[in-house]
Amino acid sequence: MDLAQATAWIQEFLNSVGAAVFVPIIMIVMGLIVRMKIKDAISAGILLGVAFSGMSMLINYMSGLVQPVGEAMLERLGIDLPIMDGGWTTMAAIAWSWPFAILVFPLLIGINVIMLVANKTETFNADLWNVWGKIFTAIGVVGITGSVPLAFLIAAIQIVFELKTADLFKDEINELTGIPGVTCTHKMIFLSAIFYPIDKLLRKIPALNTKADAAALKEKVGIFAENHVLGFIIGVLFGLLGGYDVPATLTLGVQAAMCLTLFPVISKYFMEALSPISEAVSDYMHKKFADRELVVGLDWPFMGGSNEIWLTVIYAIPITVLFSFILPGNGILPFAGIVNIAVAVPAYLVTRGNLPRMLILATIGVPIFLYVGTVFAPFVSDLAHSTGAVDLAEGALISCSSIDGPVQTYSFATFLDFMNGNFLPLGVLVIWLAGYFYTYHDLKKEAAARKEAAAAQLEE
């Protein structure tokens, strides 16, 4: 079996089983390695699969509700945009069409192990499902430079950044989710490098620097912040915006209420499944790596119980439609990627769930996603045509309106284009790096202050 055949087999396997099977398998194996009882490891793994499946079903259901609404709003505005939105699945399919894609698996695992042994990370990345994000970056590098070794070098750098970013936010994630021993290694949190400095400025506004998560909102407005009531109100508003008739609007209200009611319920299964595994990993790693608290890196859905994330996602839908119409230079028609988790999760982390600031950051972030999707369209479309990974008509353009970590993805994949005289991606990379290191330094400083305060309390 050559590389192309192996890559095709892995792509077919991952597409057929999905994260709901692949990630639990990885977690069961991990549980057995760290000496969990077989029955406990299998039970936790299956429950994790249930949680992933439940979250995926709800997201797909919600997407099925809001995509027609977004399309109706676009039709009512008379928008005609030439670039189709294929969502993240388009990007993943193209990534897996690269003949060397399979080699990114050992690259990811090898770098992670080396960094763990060298004490350069506290995260064991179990999110092998999203390896395609590194593959996509590598393909961009090859497209510009023609160099496969250079592509693997840039992909390796991205892997290092993912691990370090996961380390950076592990305390915030633990505090926000209540799930011990886990963090997020998905590249969508790279947008925090842009959001965090902006959020620091927003915190200087007194009205925006008060506790304002969904729970605080509930205390202020009572029943109108209950998940089912709020979901119903949002669904009705969407029905009105989409020009639905009364029965369809009310039905959409009930369906949206169901989604917001069940998201926190599903998230509890993540906690129930991950807690025993993370504790076993922590105990095992503590024996192997004395005086170190290691965490498991996962995809974002274990944070899906946050009402703030879903309220921001829902808010971003009409904002995305509006911006797609008014932004000069935008050419992408939001559709498959209109449920934009990648704008909400980094906003959630940097604001620690402050809903008003999350909505402001989402408003700032949506144009970034649209512009990056527009810029990537020729590149993505050429790959789709040349590889046959996506069935695309001749001359048609396709991209994604919610590319994960858009600033990092664009700059990492294309900054070497400065050799061809295009310095814009390099400038964007400099901005992202400046934001990243500012965020990293600031959060490290906060973490050190928390440790000092905790040590002082123990002494007392």
Side-chain angles (χ1 to χ4, degrees):
M1 182 182 289
D2 59 21
L3 276 177
Q5 290 174 324
T7 299
W9 183 88
I10 289 178
Q11 179 186 2
E12 184 179 354
F13 175 75
L14 292 179
N15 289 339
S16 62
V17 300
V21 173
F22 186 76
V23 176
I25 289 174
I26 296 296
M27 297 301 284
I28 290 172
V29 172
M30 185 189 303
L32 296 176
I33 290 173
V34 298
R35 306 291 192 269
M36 283 183 74
K37 293 181 179 179
I38 295 177
K39 64 181 183 64
D40 293 338
I42 293 175
S43 176
I46 293 175
L47 189 59
L48 183 59
V50 169
F52 267 107
S53 295
M55 189 65 70
S56 178
M57 286 173 61
L58 278 176
I59 293 171
N60 290 337
Y61 183 80
M62 190 173 78
S63 297
L65 296 179
V66 300
Q67 283 179 2
V69 177
E71 189 176 20
M73 286 190 280
L74 290 168
E75 289 177 356
R76 294 183 77 190
L77 292 170
I79 296 175
D80 182 24
L81 299 171
I83 303 170
M84 292 183 291
D85 179 8
W88 71 267
T89 53
T90 297
M91 317 298 280
I94 288 173
W96 281 111
S97 68
W98 191 40
F100 299 97
I102 188 176
L103 298 179
V104 183
F105 275 110
L107 179 69
L108 186 154
I109 295 169
I111 290 174
N112 196 177
V113 170
I114 291 170
M115 290 181 66
L116 283 169
V117 173
N119 198 16
K120 298 300 182 182
T121 185
E122 298 170 335
T123 299
F124 178 83
N125 186 7
D127 185 23
L128 301 182
W129 164 256
N130 281 303
V131 71
W132 72 265
K134 276 69 76 176
I135 298 170
F136 186 83
T137 298
I139 291 175
V141 175
V142 171
I144 290 172
T145 68
S147 172
V148 172
L150 194 55
F152 275 95
L153 175 61
I154 302 302
I157 293 172
Q158 179 173 321
I159 291 167
V160 172
F161 271 107
E162 285 178 352
L163 291 169
K164 300 301 288 186
T165 307
D167 291 341
L168 191 64
F169 282 104
K170 64 182 178 60
D171 292 337
E172 281 76 8
I173 289 173
N174 184 17
E175 180 181 340
L176 288 167
T177 65
I179 303 176
V182 296
T183 186
C184 183
T185 43
H186 197 292
K187 68 170 184 159
M188 66 171 60
I189 63 175
F190 279 147
L191 191 56
S192 60
I194 303 299
F195 279 173
Y196 185 83
I198 298 172
D199 187 62
K200 286 279 285 188
L201 294 175
L202 294 177
R203 293 180 210 174
K204 296 183 182 297
I205 302 173
L208 296 177
N209 200 24
T210 58
K211 187 172 177 59
D213 57 12
L217 179 66
K218 183 176 179 179
E219 292 179 2
K220 294 178 181 179
V221 298
I223 188 176
F224 293 103
E226 295 282 355
N227 281 22
H228 57 290
V229 176
L230 187 58
F232 180 78
I233 293 171
I234 291 171
V236 168
L237 288 175
F238 267 60
L240 295 175
L241 288 172
Y244 287 18
D245 59 25
V246 173
T249 297
L250 293 175
T251 300
L252 184 60
V254 173
Q255 291 169 330
M258 183 274 290
C259 289
L260 281 190
T261 301
L262 291 185
F263 277 125
V265 175
I266 296 297
S267 71
K268 293 178 182 177
Y269 291 108
F270 279 104
M271 183 180 298
E272 189 175 340
L274 290 170
S275 291
I277 295 176
S278 63
E279 288 172 8
V281 171
S282 179
D283 291 341
Y284 180 83
M285 292 299 185
H286 184 69
K287 295 175 183 176
K288 298 293 182 181
F289 301 95
D291 301 323
R292 291 176 62 187
E293 293 184 6
L294 302 185
V295 293
V296 179
L298 294 171
D299 198 352
W300 73 270
F302 71 92
M303 292 185 275
S306 162
N307 292 331
E308 295 84 9
I309 287 177
W310 297 111
L311 292 173
T312 303
V313 167
I314 292 169
Y315 163 81
I317 293 168
I319 296 299
T320 300
V321 172
L322 176 63
F323 273 124
S324 69
F325 180 62
I326 65 175
L327 279 180
N330 171 61
I332 192 166
L333 177 68
F335 186 66
I338 201 168
V339 179
N340 191 352
I341 308 293
V343 74
V345 170
Y348 177 62
L349 294 180
V350 302
T351 65
R352 293 177 172 86
N354 182 291
L355 187 57
R357 299 207 307 269
M358 287 179 68
L359 299 183
I360 293 172
L361 291 176
T363 305
I364 295 169
V366 162
I368 297 174
F369 284 90
L370 291 174
Y371 276 134
V372 170
T374 298
V375 169
F376 266 132
F379 166 68
V380 171
S381 302
D382 286 345
L383 283 172
H385 284 298
S386 62
T387 63
V390 178
D391 187 14
L392 192 63
E394 191 66 33
L397 291 171
I398 192 167
S399 188
C400 177
S401 66
S402 56
I403 294 173
D404 301 319
V407 179
Q408 174 273 332
T409 302
Y410 168 69
S411 59
F412 271 44
T414 63
F415 79 94
L416 290 169
D417 204 28
F418 76 86
M419 295 184 295
N420 300 319
N422 179 15
F423 287 87
L424 178 60
L426 181 60
V428 173
L429 177 62
V430 171
I431 293 171
W432 183 83
L433 286 172
Y436 181 88
F437 286 113
Y438 172 78
T439 303
Y440 192 89
H441 176 268
D442 214 49
L443 289 180
K444 280 291 186 181
K445 188 177 177 181
E446 286 184 16
R450 285 196 299 267
K451 286 184 180 179
E452 289 180 5
Q457 287 182 346
L458 286 175
E459 290 177 2
E460 294 176 0

